[in-house]
Amino acid sequence: MSIQLSRRSLLAATALLPLGLHGPTTAAPVAGPYRVGAFTVTPLRDGLFPLEPSMIPSADSTAGHALLKRAGLPANGPSPEPVNAFLIRRGERHWLLDAGCGTVLGPGFNRVTAALAAEGVRPDQVETIWLSHLHADHAGGLLMPSRRARFANAELVLQDREVAYWSDAGARASAPAALSSMFDTAQAVLSAYPDRIRRISGEVELAPGIHALPLPGHTPGHMGVLIADGSERLLIWGDIVHSRLLQMPHPDWTVIWDTDPAQAIATRRQILDRAAAEGLSVTGMHLTARGRIERADAGYALR
């Protein structure tokens, strides 16, 4: 996401929040900490993003408008979608997965630092931040308004393909208009942490019991994190979906920020199929809930 949001859009999204984002659900709320074996996973809400149907072009249709109306939302949107980061703890160790928007998307965000403080964690105490990808709503929170590093002692861990893409002048020149300003934020992050970036490649162990899971398409180095302890597992899948309401029943509906829409569709279907087959518990940066995936008609549902 790379647009400066108007006050009108943000107020509209906030006003719609009491209606419920997606109708009835049996999935556990994402608002509080939950356990994965010995791990504690705490979602950190950075704000609400007012998602317009035009941002998922296929949703700007009779079918998309009907889904919005059925959920109690205006047919033309917006649908208020959460922007989450995650604090992951085990014993005395703690890690951060993504960092929210910071001030990059304008007012209404920049709440991750306060959410960390509520958990007793200062920015200078964060040693490692895993980044699902370098879009502004995931990496903008790494920067102070001055563009200096917010996390003074943190190492950033990213897929090598992600760093390479956002550092490539040719990629920037050929990127769709919707992605253009995202390069500014991504490059500012890389510049603010020049000696504290660790590149990884593929599915690797990030910490005991935690593995990176490449999920390319939304961006070249987009990844999720799979947490496992004994028989308990949780996949935090980054941006596999931006709208549970619209993309779960229609997994072929892509967002305007996808670098490779065809690959994003293939990856989304692959990980949804895997989650359904393995009974994985899942959550993400734009989900209000965690739950398990079930196949539903031609699409999927989160229960």
Side-chain angles (χ1 to χ4, degrees), residues 254-280:
T254 60
V255 296
I256 59 174
W257 306 286
D258 285 338
T259 302
D260 185 335
Q263 188 176 42
I265 292 170
T267 295
R268 181 162 42 252
R269 285 192 169 275
Q270 180 185 40
I271 201 62
L272 287 169
D273 282 339
R274 175 180 172 181
E278 297 183 13
L280 283 176

Side-chain angles (χ1 to χ4, degrees), residues 67-206:
L67 285 170
L68 289 164
K69 287 181 66 177
R70 195 177 307 151
L73 299 168
N76 293 318
S79 174
E81 305 293 348
V83 177
N84 302 319
F86 291 85
L87 175 64
I88 302 168
R89 289 176 283 192
R90 182 169 188 166
E92 297 300 316
R93 303 199 65 184
H94 55 264
W95 305 271
L96 191 60
L97 175 58
D98 285 355
C101 306
T103 59
V104 174
L105 295 189
F109 300 101
N110 198 29
R111 298 172 183 168
V112 165
T113 303
L116 278 173
E119 297 297 322
V121 180
R122 301 190 314 270
D124 64 354
Q125 292 176 305
V126 177
E127 297 178 6
T128 304
I129 302 172
W130 304 316
L131 286 173
S132 63
H133 60 302
L134 276 169
H135 278 171
D137 53 321
H138 302 259
L142 295 169
L143 301 171
M144 302 290 285
S146 63
R147 297 294 205 178
R148 292 185 298 180
R150 185 186 297 271
F151 297 89
N153 300 311
E155 176 185 57
L156 308 185
V157 181
L158 305 97
Q159 290 284 334
D160 182 70
R161 293 182 63 194
E162 191 71 4
V163 177
Y165 175 75
W166 296 102
S167 303
D168 185 348
R172 178 169 189 153
S174 62
L179 294 178
S180 179
S181 66
M182 289 203 187
F183 279 86
D184 294 333
T185 299
Q187 290 173 5
V189 167
L190 296 175
S191 296
Y193 295 80
D195 302 318
R196 291 185 280 132
I197 294 172
R198 177 159 59 93
R199 302 185 183 203
I200 59 173
S201 182
E203 187 171 346
V204 301
E205 185 177 71
L206 298 170

Side-chain angles (χ1 to χ4, degrees), residues 291-302:
R292 299 185 190 278
I293 301 298
E294 296 179 0
R295 294 179 179 85
D297 299 322
Y300 304 83
L302 182 71

